[in-house]
Amino acid sequence: MSRLKRADRPYDIVLFGATGFVGTLTAEYLAAHAPDDLSWAVAGRSEEKLERLRERLGEKVGVLRADVSDPASLRALAEHARVVATTVGPYVSYGEELVAACADTGADYLDLTGEPEFVDLMYVRHDARARETGARLLHACGFDSVPHDLGVFFTVRQLPEDVPLTVDGFVSVDAAFSGGTFASALGQFARGRQMLAAARERGRHEPRLMGRRAAAPVGAPRFAPEVGAWALPLPTIDPQIVLRSARALPRYGPDFRYRHYAAVRRLPVAVGGVAAVGTLAAAAQLPPARRWLSDRLKPGEGPSAQKRARSWFSVRFVGEGGGRRVYTEVAGGDPGYDETAKMFAEAALALACDDLPPTAGQVTTAAAMGEALTGRLTRAGVGFRVAARR
Ligand SMILES: NC(=O)c1ccc[n+]([C@@H]2O[C@H](COP(=O)([O-])OP(=O)(O)OC[C@H]3O[C@@H](n4cnc5c(N)ncnc54)[C@H](OP(=O)(O)O)[C@@H]3O)[C@@H](O)[C@H]2O)c1
């Protein structure tokens, strides 16, 4: 549970960006699933949109106005909450002041970023202050990177202790994305140099792991008979998050290695996917092409409820160590929005309500709440299972 007591702050949870696409889904999830005695509020920049949202959610929900361009409003927001959950991205453009305010006031913080540059800079600039105040700073609490982080946590726990472990993750999805996600992805493609610089800066600050080893090397493209699919290395934020969990948790053993892949059944689809991502990444380097692309899908827009109902994800893991091999899977519905809102809301509820291991500073979901969040998500319909051998 948050170190702050309930009486310390007016709200247990404040959801910032509640009027956006994922924000609204998260607010609806909280309205349907939060315990009756939880006090929570929606926050955003438009009073009118917030009031309209509150009318749908019910009178019990509070409303706070805050704008990224007004740091005092973000400070006030952090001072009103034990847990602050924010969907206001791209985080590298909009996110830092709120992380700083939470670290400084001791409020727990969680977001939906998939931007490694942002996470590395927040570590360098705010981890130390958060450790002093006891604030827990959790990034990537949606499809990036919860199923991968908790899937590896779940897989490791099926394997023997105190032996070298290797885990490979294979991601399959069928889904569409929203304007907010598209804007964040385009922004990231255009910031390769800044991303590398932030990673180097983090490397200079982060203490070395003593007496154990953990690595997340980029695998080679290959046909993977263990999952019956083509495996393409997937350089998202997920393997970085898994690696940080492995560094934080001795249960991952003395020598841990994780490789992260997209799994694609047919070779032409794999080749087409790589070409499409390459073209998008190249176009994002040119400002006019980037502007044209971002006009295709506007912020606030996203896949319809019907499209989301047909969407799914599956992440299969193959873990090995101490002479054992296990096959596991984490699976669910629409990854980017319905399941992201569920993962995000349940992570916020875990911070606010559950008895969690003592952590502070920048932490991952596995390290801060691995068992509690796996239990919550299982009860909410996300499948965590040990699979039979293929
Ligand atoms: N980890 C994952 O798997 C995952 C999945 C989905 C989304 N995401 C990320 O989540 C973020 C949100 O996505 P989305 O699709 O929900 O985007 P969105 O619909 O565009 O929502 C963005 C929210 O930010 C608010 N906002 C923008 N500028 C603001 C400002 N100056 N002050 C206060 N609030 C401001 C917007 O307020 P208004 O309503 O007033 O415009 C809106 O509530 C993106 O960064 C996306 O990449 C991650």
Side-chain angles (χ1 to χ4, degrees):
M1 210 179 311
S2 156
R3 281 190 202 180
L4 297 169
K5 292 187 198 59
R6 286 194 139 168
D8 293 340
R9 303 278 163 104
Y11 296 110
D12 295 313
I13 297 175
V14 170
L15 174 63
F16 185 43
T19 54
F21 193 75
V22 195
T24 302
L25 293 173
T26 308
E28 287 167 349
Y29 188 92
L30 282 174
H33 297 93
D36 284 346
D37 64 343
L38 187 103
S39 65
W40 66 285
V42 289
R45 59 181 166 176
S46 159
E47 234 162 288
E48 195 192 321
K49 281 193 194 176
L50 287 168
E51 279 307 332
R52 257 188 278 138
L53 179 64
R54 200 242 293 259
E55 275 169 29
R56 291 200 351 247
L57 299 173
E59 279 303 307
K60 186 180 164 271
V61 179
V63 169
L64 293 175
R65 222 194 69 77
D67 196 303
V68 165
S69 58
D70 173 7
S73 71
L74 301 178
R75 175 92 191 183
L77 194 154
E79 285 170 345
H80 275 74
R82 291 165 59 233
V83 176
V84 174
T86 172
T87 75
V88 180
Y91 293 86
V92 80
S93 313
Y94 297 146
E96 178 162 7
E97 290 287 348
L98 186 56
V99 177
C102 290
D104 205 42
T105 58
D108 291 326
Y109 165 97
L110 68 162
D111 69 29
L112 287 176
T113 190
E115 300 150 79
E117 179 191 353
F118 177 70
V119 176
D120 288 342
L121 290 179
M122 295 309 97
Y123 174 80
V124 171
R125 296 175 188 164
H126 304 294
D127 172 74
R129 180 64 183 142
R131 283 174 194 271
E132 283 168 12
T133 62
R136 292 168 288 192
L137 308 178
L138 280 94
H139 303 285
C141 293
F143 183 66
D144 290 329
S145 297
V146 171
H148 317 100
D149 193 22
L150 293 191
V152 173
F153 178 80
F154 177 77
T155 307
V156 162
R157 283 154 41 110
Q158 317 301 320
L159 291 166
E161 292 186 43
D162 299 322
V163 294
L165 301 180
T166 64
V167 180
D168 286 345
F170 301 90
V171 184
S172 311
V173 295
D174 181 356
F177 45 80
S178 71
T181 302
F182 194 51
S184 292
L186 281 179
Q188 266 200 90
F189 283 140
R191 297 182 65 88
R193 227 174 313 119
Q194 292 93 325
M195 192 167 81
L196 286 176
R200 273 197 297 272
E201 206 180 336
R202 181 186 189 115
R204 283 194 289 273
H205 283 75
E206 206 160 34
R208 291 185 58 170
L209 191 57
M210 301 300 281
R212 294 169 52 226
R213 283 193 297 197
V218 178
R222 64 188 171 96
F223 183 77
E226 61 273 36
V227 290
W230 289 90
L232 306 175
L234 197 55
T236 54
I237 196 171
D238 306 315
Q240 301 182 17
I241 298 284
V242 169
L243 180 58
R244 278 171 210 143
S245 297
R247 288 172 57 98
L249 297 170
R251 179 64 180 86
Y252 285 53
D255 192 357
F256 176 83
R257 191 218 59 202
Y258 178 67
R259 291 180 304 196
H260 193 59
Y261 297 99
V264 182
R265 281 213 182 276
R266 291 176 42 239
L267 188 57
V269 176
V271 173
V274 171
V277 172
T279 309
L280 203 61
Q285 310 304 316
L286 309 167
R290 198 160 65 237
R291 271 195 301 278
W292 184 84
L293 283 167
S294 46
D295 281 346
R296 303 303 98 195
L297 198 52
K298 296 262 191 290
E301 293 175 2
S304 67
Q306 290 86 336
K307 169 67 196 158
R308 297 201 313 271
R310 290 193 302 273
S311 301
W312 55 267
F313 78 89
S314 154
V315 194
R316 286 169 289 171
F317 300 92
V318 181
E320 281 191 79
R324 252 199 103 193
R325 179 180 249 215
V326 290
Y327 298 83
T328 63
E329 184 184 28
V330 180
D334 171 49
Y337 304 100
D338 292 337
E339 298 293 45
T340 282
K342 181 188 288 178
M343 292 168 197
F344 193 45
E346 291 289 358
L349 289 168
L351 285 175
C353 307
D354 293 357
D355 194 10
L356 301 176
T359 57
Q362 191 183 89
V363 279
T364 61
T365 48
M369 52 172 79
E371 226 171 299
L373 189 55
T374 303
R376 280 180 169 275
L377 292 177
T378 304
R379 290 191 292 282
V382 176
F384 284 79
R385 63 186 188 96
V386 179
R389 201 196 180 305
R390 244 182 61 76

